[in-house]
Amino acid sequence: MDDKVFRRIFSNLPVIETERLVLKKIAPENLYDMYDYACLSETSRYLLWSPHLNLDETKGHIAFLQKQYRKGLCGEWGVNLKNGVFIGTVGFAQIDRFNNKAEIGYVLSPKYRKQGLMREAVNAVFELGFRSLGLNRIEARILVGNEASERLATAVGMSFEGVLRNSIVVKGEYKSYKLYSILAKEYLEAKGPAVWDR
Ligand SMILES: CC(C)(COP(=O)(O)OP(=O)(O)OC[C@H]1O[C@@H](n2cnc3c(N)ncnc32)[C@H](O)[C@@H]1OP(=O)(O)O)[C@@H](O)C(=O)NCCC(=O)NCCS
C-alpha cells in the first residue's frame, strides 16, 4: 500500500456520497442517534461490545474515535441518510498494511434495516479500499449465527472461506466465526473500470 495515499486518506477521512447516503466522520452531534441503537441488545448480539448503558458510554466512544481520527488511525465512517439522520457505522475495523488487506465492520440501526442501505455503504467502502487505497483483500469476520451479516457479505460479492472454531473470546465465552473475503481482482472484474476511467 502506498504510504502517501494511506496518509492522505486517513489523515482526513473523505466524505463519500452514494445514491441514498453520506458517509462521513463520526462527530459529537451523532451522540443521540448512535446511543439510540447502541443501547439495544439486538444491535451488539454478534459484536465484541455490549449494549451501551448510558449516554456517557456513547460519548466516550465518540471521543475515542475523534482522537483516533486526529492520529490518522481511524477508518470508520458514520452512515447518514441524505436528510442528515445518522443511522450506523461502516469502515475498516483493522488494516494490515504489510499484507495489504483490511477487515470490514458495519452496524446499522434496526430502524433502517432491510432496505439495502448497508449494502450501498459497504460497496462505497470497497470502492475506496480497492481503487484508492489499492488493497488486495478485504475480509469480514462474522460470528456464527449472524445470518443478516452473512447475507450482506454474500450480496456484496464476498466468498465464504471457512469457520474458525472457538477462535475468539467474546463477552467471556469462546466463539467461532466465519471468515468471508473478497479480492481486488474479483471486485474490479465484477464492477469494471472506475466511473472516471470509462
Ligand atoms: C448486518 C446488518 C448491517 C445487515 O443489515 P440489513 O439491513 O439486513 O442489510 P442491507 O442494508 O444489506 O439490506 C439488505 C436487506 O434489505 C432488503 N432490501 C430491500 N430493499 C433493498 C434494496 N434496494 N437493495 C438491496 N437490498 C434491499 C434485501 O432483500 C435484504 O434483505 P435480506 O437480508 O433478507 O436478504 C444489520 O443486521 C446489523 O447492523 N446487525 C448488527 C450489527 C452486526 O452484527 N454487524 C455485523 C458484524 S460482522
Side-chain angles (χ1 to χ4, degrees):
M1 184 187 300
D2 186 308
D3 200 49
K4 267 196 208 139
V5 175
F6 179 86
R7 279 174 208 280
R8 178 171 53 78
I9 291 176
F10 282 85
S11 65
N12 192 13
L13 220 52
V15 175
I16 306 175
E17 227 177 290
T18 68
E19 200 186 325
R20 294 176 289 174
L21 304 169
V22 179
L23 309 188
K24 58 182 184 180
K25 281 190 268 190
I26 297 154
E29 71 206 36
N30 301 134
L31 174 64
Y32 292 97
D33 286 337
M34 183 185 273
Y35 178 70
D36 192 47
Y37 67 78
C39 70
L40 306 173
S41 51
E42 77 162 289
T43 300
S44 51
R45 182 164 170 212
Y46 297 108
L47 299 177
L48 305 186
W49 46 274
S50 300
H52 290 192
L53 297 176
N54 48 51
L55 273 170
D56 276 345
E57 203 175 328
T58 312
K59 203 185 249 179
H61 179 60
I62 294 177
F64 169 75
L65 292 174
Q66 305 291 293
K67 252 193 225 157
Q68 296 300 92
Y69 285 135
R70 282 196 292 274
K71 290 185 194 161
L73 294 175
C74 184
E76 192 167 336
W77 283 264
V79 179
N80 302 270
L81 295 176
K82 291 263 163 99
N83 65 10
V85 178
F86 175 93
I87 61 170
T89 61
V90 67
F92 301 115
Q94 287 193 50
I95 294 216
D96 175 347
R97 292 181 65 189
F98 183 80
N99 295 303
N100 207 21
K101 66 178 183 177
E103 179 189 338
I104 193 155
Y106 36 77
V107 179
L108 187 60
S109 162
K111 286 184 195 161
Y112 299 96
R113 292 191 194 155
K114 296 280 172 203
Q115 300 173 45
L117 290 166
M118 194 48 86
R119 289 184 190 182
E120 202 170 306
V122 169
N123 268 309
V125 172
F126 281 0
E127 199 56 28
L128 177 132
F130 288 128
R131 294 197 204 273
S132 306
L133 280 174
L135 290 169
N136 179 54
R137 171 184 163 101
I138 297 179
E139 54 191 39
R141 293 192 291 160
I142 302 177
L143 288 188
V144 168
N146 194 351
E147 289 171 9
S149 183
E150 281 194 70
R151 281 197 297 274
L152 168 57
T154 305
V156 293
M158 301 182 103
S159 304
F160 172 63
E161 294 190 328
V163 180
L164 284 87
R165 297 175 303 151
N166 280 5
S167 185
I168 37 173
V169 176
V170 183
K171 296 158 198 166
E173 276 179 46
Y174 289 113
K175 294 280 180 188
S176 304
Y177 65 80
K178 295 188 176 180
L179 189 60
Y180 279 77
S181 76
I182 180 166
L183 302 180
K185 69 175 168 50
E186 294 164 347
Y187 178 81
L188 297 171
E189 266 169 35
K191 296 281 172 178
V195 178
W196 52 87
D197 286 341
R198 278 178 207 153

